Amino acid sequence: MTGIRLTAPAPGWAIDADVVVVGSGVAGLTTALRCAAAGLDTVVVTKARLDDGSTRWAQGGIAAALGEGDTPEQHLADTLVAGAGLCDEEAVRTLVTEGPDAVRRLITTGAHFDTTDSGDIALTREGGHHRRRIAHAGGDATGAEISRALVEAVRAAALRIIENALVLDLLTDAEGRTAGVSLHVMGEGQHDGVGAVRAPSVVLATGGMGQVFSATTNPSVSTGDGVALALRAGAEVSDLEFVQFHPTVLFLGADSEGQQPLVSEAVRGEGAHLVDASGTRFMVGQHELAELAPRDIVAKAITRQMHEHGTEHMYLDARHFGARMWEQRFPTILAACRAHGIDPVTEPIPVAPAAHYASGGIRTDLRGRTTVPGLYACGEVACTGVHGANRLASNSLLEGLVFAERIAADIAETRPPRTEPAEAPGAADAPVPLLAPEARTAIQRTMTRGAGVLRSAASLAAAAEELEALHRSAAADADDPDPKVAVPGVDTWEATNLLLVSRVLVAAAREREETRGCHWREDRPDRDDAHWRRHLVVRIAADRTPVVHRTETAAFPPVRPSD
């Protein structure tokens, strides 16, 4: 344990449970449902409303070997290629073999996928897949449909739910084992202000950290809270340098910040072309799959074209779809484009890469266990080894499903006893000085400049210095005898979490002196398997400094010394 906590009031209320699940996307709600079905007293904590998890933003679909002629082995092969040598093959094999049945259980839960005229699940292709294996719903509203089904199931199961709650820190008992979480509930309700959920098993399913960058497809709540909490609790994170930038995000202007509309890869899967301003396709000849190459390759190609042409975006041309196909297959994207003055039926869509998905996260084993006893992680916040250096399209929802079931099974099997937290949060010796809310924009711009799609030793060094300056400034303010200390609150806690996650990401990116997957170093343009087919594992020292360790092989070390 680090002894590091956010500066926050002591909890004014507490509830007890067997399991607390933090997050309401596919990973969190699936875990909660399976835990409850096993007879465990389960509480769901979510940062916004129950149906506001990141899952509902997923457009493309969920990948699984469900089609005729497709096999888990073929899905495995495509995933390993996309992961650029850093996937954990056992984790991938678990994903692809257990995935099809997990999707069928999701359907049993109430999710409705699009079907063919014969009643089979309709399947499409996305980048990196050699077969049609992407199941979708509502054309391009797969995440929304999965979220709807799971939310209805959770409500029907009468699980205890705490909405509008930002998780703060992990509670631990005298032995250093998980004993729950502290959290802050926003607004009025049964609970309000800072409180605690005391439970011997905590599952972090908090989603991504896209808000560390200026432009992202992630919602505003994706501020890396789970990764930051885990780091403060002493857990290890891995592969955080591998941030996937989605190649085709609707370009809204160079100064546009915050969540940007996604143009799903499924649009290219149905035959849309990437073109420059003259209408020339530029992916043909760059990869055997052209526009359907893995995302890192497409994002790099678009960025190169932008640099060569001196432009801020390229175009996605799907005018040949016609109005009927756009309206039936991609109604959500069509509406988003038209809302911003672009009609894909009659004109190409301006697109540019934006931060989309964290391939790394809190390091876990195949049962979702982290390096802190009793703490689990699932979904985008976790690093199971499935994604390696670059996530294969539509594997994320599947990962959430498969590993959520595995986590619930582990908790149900072990059923750890409830213990008392060793101390109230806020009484620790090392509360973290909070950042002012305006620091959020400064962090995002620093990260976009220095650690975006294109990186170099110089850009990363500049980013590191700017982030450390913010870190030092907050510490100096806290030590000032007449300080202007930021007041504890959601805005300051989020900014502080963003800074911690950004510092760790940049530390890892500086260490990895090669180009691999979605980590692109301009000054180190080649992949170097001899030296860098390794994972970077990071923890936070007691002095809040990131400590980076390179593994000796491409395999992850066990999360428990006895394993």
Side-chain angles (χ1 to χ4, degrees):
M1 301 299 295
T2 64
I4 303 171
R5 296 190 189 276
L6 286 172
T7 299
W13 53 269
I15 62 174
D16 294 298
D18 295 323
V19 184
V20 55
V21 177
V22 186
S24 60
V26 63
L29 296 188
T30 301
T31 304
L33 285 168
R34 298 293 183 269
C35 284
L40 295 161
D41 185 3
T42 305
V43 174
V44 177
V45 174
T46 185
K47 195 172 180 182
R49 297 189 311 275
L50 190 64
D51 60 357
D52 267 346
S54 294
T55 290
R56 76 184 185 94
W57 298 100
Q59 294 175 346
I62 185 165
L66 297 165
E68 184 178 352
D70 198 5
T71 64
E73 284 296 324
Q74 294 176 65
H75 190 181
L76 172 83
D78 285 345
T79 300
L80 294 179
V81 169
L86 280 186
C87 293
D88 181 298
E89 186 166 341
E90 186 180 0
V92 179
R93 192 171 296 280
T94 298
L95 178 83
V96 300
T97 55
E98 297 181 10
D101 282 344
V103 172
R104 294 183 185 104
R105 284 189 289 273
L106 179 62
I107 293 171
T108 302
T109 303
H112 301 292
F113 289 96
D114 296 339
T115 57
T116 64
D117 292 339
S118 61
D120 297 326
I121 296 175
L123 300 172
T124 189
R125 272 183 75 193
E126 290 186 355
H129 293 272
H130 282 79
R131 281 191 175 272
R132 286 182 170 265
R133 66 167 65 96
I134 316 300
H136 49 83
D140 58 358
T142 310
E145 170 57 17
I146 291 173
S147 179
R148 179 205 62 76
L150 291 173
V151 166
E152 286 188 8
V154 164
R155 294 200 188 281
L159 296 185
R160 284 190 288 175
I161 302 162
I162 303 176
E163 297 182 302
N164 301 307
L166 172 63
V167 68
L168 300 176
D169 280 302
L170 191 72
L171 305 178
T172 55
D173 62 18
E175 304 300 319
R177 198 185 188 287
T178 293
V181 292
S182 59
L183 65 160
H184 173 77
V185 181
M186 300 163 263
E188 297 180 0
Q190 184 177 356
H191 304 290
D192 200 1
V194 174
V197 180
R198 298 181 297 218
S201 298
V202 171
V203 183
L204 297 177
T206 52
M209 54 184 191
Q211 290 291 327
V212 301
F213 296 97
S214 296
T216 177
T217 62
N218 292 188
S220 61
V221 294
S222 297
T223 49
D225 307 317
V227 170
L229 175 150
L231 283 165
R232 288 193 296 272
E236 293 178 350
V237 303
S238 186
D239 300 352
L240 218 62
E241 68 271 29
F242 297 117
V243 176
Q244 187 177 83
F245 286 76
H246 199 288
T248 53
V249 175
L250 183 61
F251 180 75
L252 301 180
D255 298 326
S256 182
E257 295 181 336
Q259 187 178 10
Q260 313 286 301
L262 177 67
V263 182
S264 170
E265 197 154 307
V267 178
R268 281 175 281 138
E270 296 292 352
H273 301 145
L274 284 165
V275 299
D276 59 23
S278 67
T280 302
R281 290 178 66 182
F282 53 84
M283 285 304 301
V284 177
Q286 295 206 31
H287 190 276
E288 60 164 337
L289 296 176
E291 279 90 355
L292 288 178
R295 288 178 177 178
D296 62 314
I297 294 170
V298 180
K300 291 172 188 176
I302 291 174
T303 304
R304 284 195 188 101
Q305 291 290 319
M306 287 161 52
H307 283 199
E308 289 176 10
H309 291 265
T311 59
E312 295 172 324
H313 61 82
M314 287 287 115
Y315 294 92
L316 187 65
D317 191 352
R319 289 174 291 179
H320 55 284
F321 284 6
R324 181 179 176 82
M325 181 173 174
W326 268 110
E327 290 163 1
Q328 292 186 349
R329 181 67 179 86
F330 301 111
T332 306
I333 299 170
L334 178 64
C337 289
R338 285 177 170 170
H340 291 284
I342 304 294
D343 188 350
V345 177
T346 60
E347 59 187 318
I349 306 167
V351 293
H356 181 57
Y357 191 89
S359 292
I362 307 165
R363 193 166 77 81
T364 75
D365 64 10
L366 297 188
R367 288 183 277 174
R369 302 182 306 171
T370 73
T371 50
V372 175
L375 179 65
Y376 297 80
C378 191
E380 188 174 354
V381 73
C383 181
T384 61
V386 159
H387 305 307
N390 181 46
R391 174 179 67 97
L392 181 66
S394 288
N395 268 356
S396 52
L397 292 176
L398 191 70
E399 182 194 32
L401 269 185
V402 168
F403 287 90
E405 294 185 342
R406 289 180 145 255
I407 288 170
D410 190 72
I411 297 172
E413 179 185 335
T414 57
R415 293 186 181 266
R418 298 181 185 181
T419 57
E420 289 295 318
E423 62 178 21
D429 294 330
V432 177
L434 301 177
L435 270 69
E438 54 267 25
R440 177 172 179 148
T441 300
I443 294 166
Q444 290 170 333
R445 291 177 178 173
T446 291
M447 291 296 289
T448 298
R449 282 194 306 268
V453 177
L454 299 177
R455 301 169 178 178
S456 67
S459 76
L460 290 165
E465 177 51 40
E466 290 172 25
L467 294 172
E468 290 306 312
L470 287 170
H471 179 67
R472 290 192 300 268
S473 177
D477 286 344
D479 292 337
D480 193 312
D482 184 25
K484 297 178 181 178
V485 179
V487 177
V490 174
D491 288 347
T492 54
W493 287 320
E494 284 186 335
T496 304
N497 283 340
L498 284 171
L499 179 61
L500 175 56
V501 172
S502 297
R503 291 172 65 221
V504 171
L505 191 161
V506 168
R510 294 183 76 183
E511 183 81 8
R512 183 171 291 281
E513 295 181 336
E514 66 159 355
T515 289
R516 181 185 298 271
C518 48
H519 172 67
W520 187 9
R521 286 280 299 258
E522 290 182 282
D523 54 331
R524 302 281 184 171
D526 299 320
R527 173 170 153 175
D528 181 0
D529 278 355
H531 298 96
W532 288 106
R533 192 165 174 251
R534 309 283 189 274
H535 298 279
L536 295 178
V537 177
V538 189
R539 61 178 178 83
I540 290 293
D543 64 357
R544 306 185 194 118
T545 302
V547 178
V548 184
H549 166 69
R550 186 184 349 177
T551 61
E552 295 182 1
T553 69
F556 277 119
V559 298
R560 302 279 192 274
S562 58
D563 289 352

